[in-house]
Amino acid sequence: MYNHILVPVAPDHINDCSQSLDAASRLLAEGGTVSVLSVLEELPSYIGSYFPPDQVRKSVSEFEDKLSSAMDTPKMATHVVTGHPTNSILDWAEKHKVDCIIVASHQPGLSDYLIGSTAARVVRHAHCSVVVLRGK
């Protein structure tokens, strides 16, 4: 059983994460916490210059509201950060002393035959246990 479980959820898969959340609830120790993290990728500088300066902050705020309303349970804390998905997941997990990451993997393409590329990098570089859930 784990005391702090991180469930990364891709912004476009908020409604498809029930399998990951179910696994987290099964692996969670009594009194433990599940943190749901979504990473919004930063805009490249050549595109960002076309948006208002506070656009990223506004997008993060709006997405935090959407994520927290979708994950409306008392044992789950929601968080939204910007950056590269793999690096942000690993950094957040280490900074917040996560002892297990539950990451979903999509159906593979030719370039990532065994598991998805983000899931594969999390598995290789995480300093804690990682559970990979295979998509359908």
Side-chain angles (χ1 to χ4, degrees):
M1 301 306 262
Y2 298 100
N3 292 312
H4 191 186
I5 298 175
L6 176 61
V7 180
V9 176
D12 55 339
H13 290 115
I14 290 178
N15 298 322
D16 302 329
C17 62
S18 60
Q19 184 181 12
S20 298
L21 297 174
D22 183 48
S25 67
R26 291 179 189 202
L27 295 171
L28 189 63
E30 185 72 33
T33 303
V34 174
S35 293
V36 179
L37 177 70
S38 199
V39 181
L40 299 179
E41 291 193 57
E42 293 178 346
L43 294 173
S45 59
Y46 62 88
I47 294 174
S49 62
Y50 292 101
F51 288 94
D54 65 338
Q55 182 63 46
V56 172
R57 183 192 53 75
K58 183 178 176 185
S59 295
V60 168
S61 177
E62 288 173 359
F63 195 75
E64 282 174 339
D65 293 341
K66 183 177 179 181
L67 184 64
S68 62
S69 66
M71 308 294 156
D72 191 22
T73 62
K75 287 188 178 182
M76 291 186 202
T78 58
H79 309 277
V80 178
V81 296
T82 59
H84 181 273
T86 303
N87 295 341
S88 297
I89 292 166
L90 295 170
D91 291 346
W92 199 96
E94 194 163 333
K95 180 179 178 182
H96 294 91
K97 301 186 182 349
V98 167
D99 52 0
C100 180
I101 300 171
I102 298 179
V103 63
S105 177
H106 58 77
Q107 282 293 1
L110 292 175
S111 64
D112 48 7
Y113 189 71
L114 296 176
I115 59 177
S117 58
T118 299
R121 286 191 292 268
V122 169
V123 168
R124 281 195 301 273
H125 299 289
H127 296 292
C128 64
S129 298
V130 178
V131 174
V132 179
L133 299 177
R134 187 67 142 134
K136 295 176 182 165

